[in-house]
Amino acid sequence: MNFEKNAVLETHLQKVGAEHVLVQGHPAGLFVLFFTEMWERFSYYGMRALLVNFLVSTIAQQGWGWTNSEAMKLYGLYTGMVFLTPLFGGIIADRLTGYKKSIMVGAIIMTLGHIAMALEGFNKSFFLAGLVLIVLGNGLFKPNISSMVGKLYPDKGGKKDAGYTIFYMGINGGAFLGMMLCGYIGEKIGWHYGFGLAGVFMFLGMLQFYFAQPIFGKIGNTPQKQEELTDIAAGEEENPKHIVRDRLLVIAIFMLSSIVFHLAFEQAGGSMTIFAKNYTQRVLSGEVAVLFKWLDAALTVLPIVVITGVLFVLAKKIVRKYPMIILFSSISFVIIWSLCLWKVYREYYGMNSEVTVSWFPMLNSFFIITLATSFSKIWEKVWNPSGPIKFAMGLTLVGVGFAALSIGSSEIPTGAKTASVSMIWLVLAYFFHTVGELCIGPVGLSYVSKLSPKKFLGLLFGFWFCANAIANFIGGFIGSYIDKITESHSMSYFFAVFTVIPMVAAVFLILANKKIKKMMHGID
């Protein structure tokens, strides 16, 4: 069976002019995009892990001393705009530049944005200008690299879902490393060092992609050069209008579901960060402190070992033909390994046993890295439920994660400004959120790719990320009321809101499953 799938995949790659060497049963180009996206996500999530913490930290701590409400509003606005601008980036790529040029220009702009943020100590305007540049660059980068992943695969079969799950592992590998290193260096050494480190890896990721462009053949070229590719690979023009209409409606339903999921899930960088900073017991002592140091060392090193293994497998296949790709990836990994070993040494022999605030959101990416391959194999070989069921599973699990937080915070007095809740509740929340994300994040990207008319693929990926923008706006707005809600009700009540809403949406998807599957017209 795998041989047949690989034969179909290789034929598809030859038709679109892409490198048809397979790595672990997937196109070599997938793993190039894996690493390009990984370093971009390193920069984004590394900076995001610092944002709210930096804003609410006191002037004496070199922060800006903002209130929780002010910081959450800026966080919601920023993350919302990050997911809104891909709508325009998708249109630009579809009509003018093609995916490759948009990704390159976006990467350059984001690199400049991170450099600007690193200069925040000189003037606050640099910080704000950096946020704007990252938003603009991300708009050109994010939808188009996701579109390129989809173009590497034929639409039918579970291979594309599995490919997007592996790609999602790259996203979270970068997020993990970024939150761990930028967060650690920002909190322990200096905020501007954390912001600057994010820019270094954005630059290296850009160089890697620049030298990798031939591996994709016609995929991602300018729209004029793409015409032949569209005729060969898509075949979408043959679909009757009612099929196209129904499939677009399914994408809309999935977008609404994604909004509900992410308005809860994206509390990780907002209200959950505030909960970790002010309400969680993070100062450890005695045997618990020693145990945590060993655990933290394992969490630091294990994901890098896994991702280094991915690079090694890719290098064996393509290093002779594409040496520059492996060169810049290897430089990146030498720096990463050096920083991680320095962090482990510094923490193990240091006297301070306080867990950083940014350590907790890092768990999400750690769980993704360790579970993504298993989910990829499950969707491909064991059990591949329908899209609506996968989304319902994701919504249910994110609700379960917030239920854990609601239970854990139930003893916090109404209106309390600080508390010392056990870390275990945040760990449980991030675990359930991660499993839920694996049922929605990569699966959503895959279904947008499969259900969209190919000539509008970049645009529809832009709309998909626009749904995330709406979710971040709403989530940031709700999160900004954390102080008011905890004063009038309780912290437990606040998290219970994010338990109920996703679970109600999950019930709707389960009830509508058969109807939605019918509207997909054969896309599984």
Side-chain angles (χ1 to χ4, degrees):
M1 189 66 180
N2 282 336
F3 174 80
E4 293 176 4
K5 289 182 180 179
N6 287 346
V8 172
L9 178 58
E10 289 189 54
T11 300
H12 171 79
L13 293 171
Q14 289 172 352
K15 285 182 178 180
V16 299
E19 177 62 64
H20 57 276
V21 170
L22 299 183
V23 179
Q24 299 295 305
H26 290 272
L30 170 69
F31 294 92
V32 172
L33 296 174
F34 173 106
F35 286 112
T36 303
E37 177 75 354
M38 188 177 85
W39 297 130
E40 187 275 329
R41 291 291 88 183
F42 178 103
S43 66
Y44 171 72
Y45 280 101
M47 185 280 294
R48 199 190 77 165
L50 295 173
L51 183 59
V52 170
N53 196 9
F54 166 71
L55 293 172
V56 301
S57 292
T58 64
I59 303 297
Q61 296 170 320
Q62 307 301 314
W64 282 10
W66 285 19
T67 66
N68 289 341
S69 178
E70 290 171 334
M72 282 297 302
K73 286 176 181 176
L74 178 61
Y75 173 81
L77 176 63
Y78 167 68
T79 54
M81 292 303 296
V82 160
F83 287 106
L84 180 62
T85 50
L87 173 61
F88 304 102
I91 294 173
I92 290 170
D94 281 338
R95 297 186 178 182
L96 298 174
T97 63
Y99 304 140
K100 290 176 181 175
K101 288 182 180 178
S102 288
I103 291 169
M104 280 300 303
V105 173
I108 292 169
I109 294 173
M110 282 190 286
T111 299
L112 294 174
H114 288 292
I115 292 172
M117 292 189 72
L119 300 175
E120 59 84 20
F122 294 99
N123 191 296
K124 289 185 177 182
S125 298
F126 280 113
F127 183 86
L128 298 175
L131 289 179
V132 172
L133 287 171
I134 293 171
V135 165
L136 294 175
N138 183 82
L140 291 170
F141 186 99
K142 192 168 184 63
N144 300 310
I145 195 166
S146 298
S147 297
M148 287 189 69
V149 173
K151 293 279 190 178
L152 288 169
Y153 293 89
D155 283 340
K156 294 191 175 181
K159 206 72 177 177
K160 182 175 285 191
D161 284 10
Y164 269 110
T165 302
I166 292 172
F167 178 68
Y168 215 69
M169 177 183 169
I171 292 174
N172 284 275
F176 169 83
L177 294 170
M179 287 185 283
M180 176 181 67
L181 292 175
C182 295
Y184 179 83
I185 290 173
E187 288 187 55
K188 300 278 188 173
I189 308 298
W191 301 110
H192 55 284
Y193 289 109
F195 292 135
L197 183 63
V200 170
F201 285 95
M202 184 70 253
F203 178 69
L204 290 170
M206 176 189 70
L207 289 176
Q208 176 204 296
F209 182 79
Y210 174 78
F211 288 105
Q213 292 181 66
I215 206 170
F216 304 107
K218 300 171 187 175
I219 296 173
N221 289 340
T222 59
Q224 292 77 15
K225 294 180 180 179
Q226 282 273 105
E227 290 179 1
E228 181 184 352
L229 173 59
T230 301
D231 292 339
I232 293 173
E236 289 287 339
E237 299 299 329
E238 299 177 1
N239 288 326
K241 290 183 178 180
H242 75 280
I243 291 180
V244 174
R245 182 196 65 227
D246 284 354
R247 287 177 175 173
L248 290 175
L249 284 173
V250 172
I251 292 176
I253 292 170
F254 287 164
M255 284 181 181
L256 290 173
S257 303
S258 179
I259 289 173
V260 175
F261 176 85
H262 282 97
L263 71 85
F265 180 82
E266 290 296 339
Q267 296 300 312
S271 62
M272 289 173 69
T273 293
I274 292 170
F275 182 77
K277 183 178 179 66
N278 297 333
Y279 297 94
T280 302
Q281 173 57 35
R282 296 185 291 112
V283 178
L284 308 178
S285 60
E287 293 182 358
V288 175
V290 175
L291 179 63
F292 176 79
K293 287 182 177 183
W294 280 103
L295 174 63
D296 183 52
L299 286 175
T300 300
V301 173
L302 181 59
I304 309 174
V305 171
V306 173
I307 298 170
T308 304
V310 174
L311 176 61
F312 181 74
V313 172
L314 175 66
K316 287 198 300 183
K317 293 279 188 174
I318 69 169
V319 65
R320 291 185 180 179
K321 193 171 182 180
Y322 304 98
M324 297 302 289
I325 298 174
I326 304 304
L327 172 63
F328 284 106
S329 294
S330 298
I331 291 172
S332 302
F333 272 81
V334 169
I335 298 172
I336 282 291
W337 271 104
S338 300
L339 288 172
C340 288
L341 293 176
W342 164 79
K343 171 187 175 290
V344 169
Y345 177 85
R346 189 175 187 272
E347 282 298 290
Y348 187 80
Y349 289 103
M351 298 300 293
N352 192 339
S353 297
E354 182 178 14
V355 181
T356 61
V357 173
S358 57
W359 186 85
F360 294 98
M362 183 184 78
L363 292 172
N364 170 244
S365 297
F366 171 78
F367 290 135
I368 289 271
I369 294 167
T370 53
L371 296 175
T373 303
S374 298
F375 269 75
S376 175
K377 291 178 180 178
I378 289 170
W379 299 149
E380 189 176 354
K381 299 178 180 179
V382 180
W383 182 52
N384 192 28
S386 67
I389 296 300
K390 289 176 182 174
F391 270 70
M393 290 166 60
L395 287 162
T396 300
L397 287 163
V398 79
V400 170
F402 278 105
L405 286 177
S406 183
I407 294 168
S409 59
S410 60
E411 298 299 320
I412 298 176
T414 300
K417 298 297 183 182
T418 60
S420 296
V421 175
S422 170
M423 291 168 50
I424 190 63
W425 299 107
L426 268 173
V427 174
L428 285 172
Y430 277 110
F431 174 77
F432 286 115
H433 288 186
T434 300
V435 180
E437 185 184 6
L438 283 168
C439 296
I440 285 186
V443 172
L445 294 174
S446 180
Y447 274 104
V448 172
S449 177
K450 290 189 286 189
L451 294 167
S452 300
K454 292 299 175 285
K455 62 181 179 180
F456 299 122
L457 185 59
L459 173 63
L460 285 163
F461 266 114
F463 274 117
W464 179 257
F465 293 118
C466 186
N468 281 11
I470 295 170
N472 276 274
F473 287 139
I474 298 172
F477 178 77
I478 297 173
S480 70
Y481 283 89
I482 183 171
D483 289 338
K484 290 185 178 180
I485 292 175
T486 53
E487 287 173 6
S488 59
H489 296 284
S490 66
M491 182 66 72
S492 181
Y493 180 92
F494 176 81
F495 287 128
V497 171
F498 296 105
T499 300
V500 175
I501 295 174
M503 289 189 172
V504 170
V507 171
F508 167 79
L509 285 174
I510 293 170
L511 294 176
N513 177 44
K514 290 185 179 179
K515 177 65 176 177
I516 295 171
K517 283 178 63 178
K518 185 177 180 181
M519 293 169 63
M520 292 164 70
H521 295 282
I523 296 294
D524 51 17

